[in-house]
Amino acid sequence: MTIPEKTSVHRSPHKAGKTGVFIALTIALLLSTPFAVQANAVEPESYTPVAPTIDQARANILIARQLQFTHFRDMGISDELSGDVFDAYLNYLDGQRVYLTARDVQALDKVKSRLGSALKTGQLQPGFDIYNLVQKRIIERLRFALKTLDEGIENLDFSSNDSILLDRSEADWEPDKEALDALWVKRIKNAVLAQRLNGTDDEAITETLKRRYEGQLKRAYQARSEDAFQAYMNAFTGMWDPHTAYFSPRTSENFNINMSLSLEGIGAVLQGDNEYTKVVRLVPGGPASKQGQLQPADRIVSVAQEGEKPVNVIGWRLDEVVDLIRGPRDSVVTLEVVPASATDETITKSISIRRDEVKLEEQSASKNTIEFERNGETYTVGVITIPTFYADFRAMQAGDPNYKSTTRDVRKLIAELQQEGVDGLVIDLRNNGGGALHEANDLVGLFIDTGPTVQIRNSNNEVQVLNDDDASVAYDGPLVVLTNRMSASASEIFAGAIQDYGRGLVVGSQTFGKGTVQAVRPLNHGQLKITQSKFYRVSGGSTQHKGVIPDIEIPSRIDKTRIGEDALDHALPWDQIEAVPHTRYFDFSDIIEELRKRHEDRFAKSPDFRLLQQEIDFLEEQRQRETVSLNLDERTTQQEQIERTRLTIANARRELRGEEPFESLDELEDWQDQQAADLGSTDEELDFVIREGGHIMADMLELDKRMVSILAPRQIAAQAEVRQ
C-alpha cells in the first residue's frame, strides 16, 4: 500500500542551509577517499570500470538522512550495519556465489566495517570498487563458459557420479579460480542435461547456451554508473525493510505507473531478483492473469517478440526488461521463465501472452451462486469474488454518480444475491493483492453497524484510526472470507476486521503479511520509496509479517518460504498496540472446534483435496532436494519419475471432471499450450475450495441458529461494547 506525499518531510537537527553546506563539503572530499579495493587479476582490456557521480553522492547523503530520521524503524548507521550492507550487496551481485572466490571476498574485508561511515557522507567509491570487481569476475566466468562450449559439449563427461548444489546462497565461496572453473563445468553440464532430457539436440543446446552467455557478457561490458549506484543503494535501504528502495530516474518512471505493464502490456508487477527479473504478482483482469500460466515468483530468462528470436535478459536492468515486455496491443510476447516450482534454474518453460490493456471492468467484483444438499436440505450460497480494491478516481472527481468502486459494486451484488434468497455469503479474496485503502475501510462497513476498521501508526508513534461511520448494513447474514498467501495489504485489513468483529470466519491459508505503508519522496537524483507507517487491526495486532491467520486452514500450493513478508530479509516484525473498542457480533469459540472437525472429515473423503495434497507433497519433495545428479542415467531416471508424477496428477484431475486422460506428458503440455492460446479457456480455479466455504457456512447455520439473525438489533445491543 503506497500513499504518496505532497511534500518531503525531514526530521533532522540540521537546518536546510547547514545541510547544503555539509553536502557540498562532503562531496568535495570524495575523490580523495582512501577506500580503493585492489583486484587480484588483471583487468580485462575491454571493461571500463564505472565511477560515481556528484549527483549520486548528493542523493546518497539525502537517502542516509531520510533513513535515519523519517523511516518507521528507528535505526542508526553503525559498524554492525556496515557488515550487513556488505553481505546484502554481495548477495545482490553474486547471490549464488559463482563469480567471486574466497580470496576475492577476503580482499574486500578491509572495507567491510567502514561502509556505514562512507554511506553517511556520500563516499561511494568502496561500493563501486566492489561492483567493478564483480563485473570483472562475471566477464571472466562467462568467457570461460563460452570457451567450454566452443570446445564442444560432447566432450563433457556425463558418466561420473558428480552432482551439483541447487542453491548456493549459503555455500562456502570457492577458494580460487581453479575451483570456480570446476564449478562452472558442472553448471554447464547441468544446463546441457536439462535440455537433453527435454529432447533438444546438442547443436540447439549449444546455440541456446551461447546466446544466453553472450547476452550476459554484453550486459557486463555495458555496465553503467547508475547500475552500480542503484544496486548499492538498495543493499543499503534494504537494511531498514524490504519495501524501502531507491529508484533511479529511469526506474522512477516505471514506478510512477506501478510497473504494472497494464498499458499495452501483460499485467504483471516485476522486480529485480539478483540476475533475474522476478514476477511479484499478476494484475487482476490482465492478460497474464487470464492466460493463467505465469505465476508469482517465476523468473524471466528471455523475452521474444512475435516472429523474432528470444532475447536473453539475465543480468538486464529491470527498466530494460519492462521496456522489452511492453508492446502494441494485440501483439504476442513470449516469456521464457524459470517456474516458481522449479528445483533448478536450468528448468524453463515458454509462455506466450497477448498484450492488452487492463480494463477496470475486468478487475471488478463479480458474483455467483453454488447449491448443495445436506441432510435433505438444500443450501444456496452466494459467492462474491473481489480481485482487487479499486475505485475510478477520475469519475469520482468528475462527479459521476455512477462511478465504479469495490464497495459500490459489492453492495449491488449483495442486493442481487439477497433477491435470489441465498442462505449465506462467501467473499473470495484469494490472490487479491490490495489496492485502495479507503475501499477496504468502506467494505468492512457493509457488514458492521459502525466502528473502527484499522489503525495506522507512524514513526512518531502517533496512531490514526479509520472508522466506518455509516450505520447502514448491506448484509447481516453468515459470512465466510476466503484468503490465500497472495491476499495482501487491503485484503488483510478487511479479513482481519471481519475476524476481530466476529462477523464471519476466515478460511484458507495465512495471508501475505504486508502491513506497512510507503511514501515516495523525490531526491535530487531519482526517488526514495520509504516505509513510514504500519497497519494494526482493531484488536491491536499488526497485519505486518504475520498476516491474518485463518480460523480454518486449507493448504495451498504456494511456497511460503519464497512468497510472503516473512520470507523477505529485514522485514519489519509483528507487534501490537492497544486495541480500540469494537463490537464482537458473534463468538465462534463454542463451535470452532466442531467446524474444524467437520471440515477435516469432509476433506479426508474429498478426492479433490487428496489430489491437492498429493500435488503439494510432490512440490515440497522437489523443493527439499538440495542437489541434482550430473550422471545422465541417474538424471534420466529422476526425470522420468517426475514426469510420471506430473502426468498422474493431471490425469487424476481430468478424471474428476469426466475428461479423457492424457496418454503422455507431451500431450499434456500441448494441451496447456492450446489453453494458453485461448485466454477464455484457462484451467479452472479450485472450485472445491469455494464449495468448502459454502459447507462451512452450512455447518455454522446448523451448529448455531443464531447465525441466521446475527445482526438483529437486540443482539447488537446485548453484545456491543462501550464505544469511545
Side-chain angles (χ1 to χ4, degrees):
M1 182 74 62
T2 301
I3 301 177
E5 290 192 339
K6 294 182 179 179
T7 58
S8 178
V9 179
H10 303 272
R11 289 193 290 109
S12 166
H14 300 284
K15 294 183 179 179
K18 289 184 178 180
T19 300
V21 172
F22 172 70
I23 293 174
L25 289 173
T26 303
I27 292 172
L29 298 173
L30 294 182
L31 298 180
S32 60
T33 179
F35 281 104
V37 176
Q38 298 298 320
N40 293 317
V42 178
E43 177 182 321
E45 293 180 359
S46 54
Y47 175 70
T48 303
V50 296
T53 68
I54 295 298
D55 282 344
Q56 290 168 349
R58 184 179 291 112
N60 173 199
I61 295 170
L62 293 173
I63 289 169
R65 293 178 61 77
Q66 296 240 19
L67 291 173
Q68 292 179 92
F69 300 121
T70 67
H71 194 279
F72 184 87
R73 174 175 264 160
D74 184 13
M75 185 170 72
I77 300 176
S78 62
D79 289 343
E80 181 180 354
L81 184 75
S82 297
D84 291 339
V85 172
F86 177 84
D87 292 340
Y89 191 36
L90 282 195
N91 184 59
Y92 177 83
L93 297 174
D94 188 10
Q96 287 297 304
R97 303 189 173 190
V98 294
Y99 299 123
L100 296 177
T101 65
R103 194 174 302 168
D104 289 327
V105 176
Q106 185 178 4
L108 297 174
D109 273 345
K110 67 180 72 172
V111 301
K112 183 174 183 177
S113 63
R114 292 182 284 169
L115 291 184
S117 58
L119 284 163
K120 267 186 178 181
T121 54
Q123 298 181 67
L124 295 171
Q125 195 58 52
F128 274 68
D129 286 337
I130 294 170
Y131 183 87
N132 285 324
L133 176 59
V134 174
Q135 291 304 113
K136 295 173 189 175
R137 296 296 182 256
I138 289 174
I139 290 170
E140 291 172 4
R141 288 295 102 213
L142 294 173
R143 284 176 170 173
F144 174 82
L146 288 168
K147 178 175 177 291
T148 302
L149 292 176
D150 285 340
E151 292 172 353
I153 61 176
E154 68 276 4
N155 296 320
L156 297 173
D157 180 13
F158 294 100
S159 62
S160 69
N161 293 322
D162 282 349
S163 63
I164 188 169
L165 191 64
L166 291 171
D167 180 8
R168 289 185 46 82
S169 59
E170 301 295 329
D172 293 333
W173 298 95
E174 295 296 338
D176 49 36
K177 179 179 177 295
E178 288 70 26
L180 269 186
D181 286 349
L183 172 62
W184 272 76
V185 169
K186 286 186 174 184
R187 284 168 59 84
I188 294 169
K189 287 169 66 175
N190 187 36
V192 171
L193 267 180
Q195 293 192 51
R196 276 185 178 176
L197 292 173
N198 286 335
T200 309
D201 62 63
D202 282 3
E203 183 178 352
I205 293 173
T206 302
E207 181 184 351
T208 298
L209 293 180
K210 275 191 173 183
R211 188 166 61 241
R212 175 179 300 183
Y213 295 140
E214 285 169 352
Q216 291 176 251
L217 188 60
K218 180 180 178 182
R219 286 290 144 187
Y221 284 134
Q222 292 176 344
R224 303 179 308 178
S225 174
E226 197 59 43
D227 299 333
F229 181 63
Q230 182 158 301
Y232 192 30
M233 285 303 98
N234 281 327
F236 180 40
T237 60
M239 295 297 101
W240 274 258
D241 85 303
H243 303 290
T244 294
Y246 166 74
F247 296 148
S248 69
R250 177 68 184 280
T251 306
S252 297
E253 296 175 15
N254 288 309
F255 178 79
N256 290 339
I257 57 172
N258 295 322
M259 292 195 303
S260 65
L261 311 185
S262 59
L263 299 176
E264 298 181 346
I266 64 170
V269 178
L270 309 176
Q271 73 178 27
D273 181 28
N274 295 324
E275 294 179 310
Y276 289 95
T277 297
K278 184 173 73 173
V279 178
V280 179
R281 65 179 177 87
L282 305 180
V283 178
S289 176
K290 290 191 292 183
Q291 193 267 3
Q293 286 187 299
L294 193 67
Q295 296 296 320
D298 285 357
R299 291 173 292 169
I300 300 173
V301 172
S302 70
V303 179
Q305 311 303 329
E306 199 166 3
E308 298 181 10
K309 286 187 175 182
V311 176
N312 184 276
V313 295
I314 297 176
W316 278 39
R317 294 179 284 274
L318 178 62
D319 57 338
E320 293 184 335
V321 178
V322 169
D323 285 345
L324 202 59
I325 294 175
R326 285 192 184 122
R329 184 178 179 182
D330 288 331
S331 62
V332 174
V333 61
T334 299
L335 308 181
E336 180 190 5
V337 303
V338 178
S341 59
T343 56
D344 184 347
E345 65 182 19
T346 62
I347 299 172
T348 65
K349 69 176 181 180
S350 293
I351 301 172
S352 295
I353 303 172
R354 187 172 296 280
R355 299 178 176 105
D356 198 357
E357 292 186 35
V358 180
K359 301 178 178 64
L360 183 60
E361 57 267 24
E362 292 176 339
Q363 296 181 306
S364 300
S366 60
K367 71 176 175 69
N368 210 329
T369 58
I370 54 175
E371 289 187 357
F372 52 88
E373 288 189 7
R374 292 202 1 191
N375 302 322
E377 187 172 352
T378 299
Y379 290 91
T380 302
V381 176
V383 180
I384 295 180
T385 301
I386 306 176
T388 185
F389 286 84
Y390 55 89
D392 188 343
F393 292 106
R394 289 185 179 179
M396 187 190 310
Q397 292 169 354
D400 183 351
N402 298 314
Y403 74 87
K404 289 182 66 63
S405 75
T406 300
T407 306
R408 291 164 67 96
D409 290 349
V410 170
R411 186 188 294 274
K412 293 176 184 176
L413 296 175
I414 288 174
E416 293 170 6
L417 288 169
Q418 286 176 323
Q419 289 180 351
E420 297 176 33
V422 297
D423 298 299
L425 183 62
V426 173
I427 300 291
D428 189 356
L429 294 181
R430 290 174 299 171
N431 302 317
N432 183 322
L437 173 60
H438 72 86
E439 286 299 320
N441 175 71
D442 293 347
L443 191 67
V444 174
L446 297 185
F447 303 95
I448 66 171
D449 180 16
T450 60
T453 60
V454 65
Q455 304 183 76
I456 306 172
R457 180 165 71 101
N458 65 21
S459 57
N460 290 325
N461 288 323
E462 298 168 341
V463 178
Q464 174 190 7
V465 181
L466 299 188
N467 288 277
D468 164 48
D469 298 320
D470 184 354
S472 66
V473 175
Y475 176 75
D476 61 2
L479 181 66
V480 166
V481 178
L482 295 180
T483 63
N484 67 2
R485 189 62 161 177
M486 298 307 298
S487 305
S489 199
S491 292
E492 297 174 288
I493 290 171
F494 176 81
I498 294 299
Q499 195 176 58
D500 288 343
Y501 273 93
R503 184 56 193 86
L505 286 177
V506 177
V507 175
S509 52
Q510 180 184 10
T511 60
F512 192 94
K514 171 66 165 65
T516 55
V517 185
Q518 285 72 43
V520 179
R521 296 180 176 171
L523 303 167
N524 67 299
H525 185 77
Q527 295 175 310
L528 177 67
K529 179 165 70 81
I530 187 168
T531 297
Q532 62 174 20
S533 306
K534 202 171 180 181
F535 290 128
Y536 294 83
R537 294 163 58 157
V538 296
S539 57
S542 177
T543 56
Q544 168 62 18
H545 205 278
K546 185 185 291 187
V548 176
I549 306 298
D551 300 295
I552 296 177
E553 186 168 1
I554 296 177
S556 168
R557 299 186 187 97
I558 298 173
D559 183 1
K560 291 171 61 175
T561 65
R562 297 184 62 184
I563 298 176
E565 190 77 7
D566 54 4
L568 301 175
D569 291 335
H570 305 288
L572 292 178
W574 178 90
D575 65 339
Q576 61 186 115
I577 58 176
E578 187 176 346
V580 288
H582 57 281
T583 298
R584 182 76 182 176
Y585 290 107
F586 188 78
D587 183 0
F588 291 98
S589 61
D590 292 340
I591 64 172
I592 190 64
E593 289 306 320
E594 178 62 21
L595 288 173
R596 288 172 181 155
K597 181 179 182 302
R598 291 188 178 194
H599 158 72
E600 289 167 2
D601 288 345
R602 270 191 304 273
F603 266 25
K605 301 172 185 176
S606 166
D608 285 297
F609 176 70
R610 287 199 299 271
L611 189 57
L612 173 63
Q613 191 61 57
Q614 182 183 351
E615 190 172 4
I616 291 171
D617 293 342
F618 169 67
L619 292 172
E620 183 60 27
E621 181 183 344
Q622 298 308 306
R623 292 170 189 143
Q624 293 299 320
R625 292 172 57 196
E626 295 183 353
T627 62
V628 63
S629 173
L630 298 178
N631 179 285
L632 177 59
D633 293 337
E634 185 176 345
R635 186 72 164 268
T636 301
T637 301
Q638 291 174 351
Q639 180 78 1
E640 289 173 349
Q641 181 181 354
I642 291 171
E643 290 178 354
R644 280 196 302 271
T645 304
R646 285 181 57 197
L647 187 60
T648 299
I649 292 172
N651 281 338
R653 183 164 288 124
R654 288 179 69 82
E655 183 179 349
L656 286 175
R657 297 174 183 170
E659 299 170 345
E660 289 294 320
F662 297 114
E663 294 185 2
S664 67
L665 190 67
D666 287 341
E667 187 179 346
L668 166 61
E669 292 178 343
D670 288 344
W671 177 83
Q672 290 174 334
D673 289 341
Q674 292 171 6
Q675 292 292 97
D678 182 358
L679 297 183
S681 62
T682 56
D683 197 9
E684 295 179 6
E685 185 63 26
L686 298 176
D687 290 337
F688 78 91
V689 174
I690 294 178
R691 295 188 66 83
E692 178 60 18
H695 280 293
I696 291 171
M697 181 87 60
D699 290 338
M700 291 162 59
L701 291 169
E702 290 175 358
L703 291 172
D704 199 312
K705 298 301 182 183
R706 288 173 298 168
M707 291 298 296
V708 176
S709 56
I710 191 171
L711 293 182
R714 62 181 181 276
Q715 290 187 7
I716 294 176
Q719 296 174 8
E721 299 176 5
V722 178
R723 300 180 185 276
Q724 284 182 324

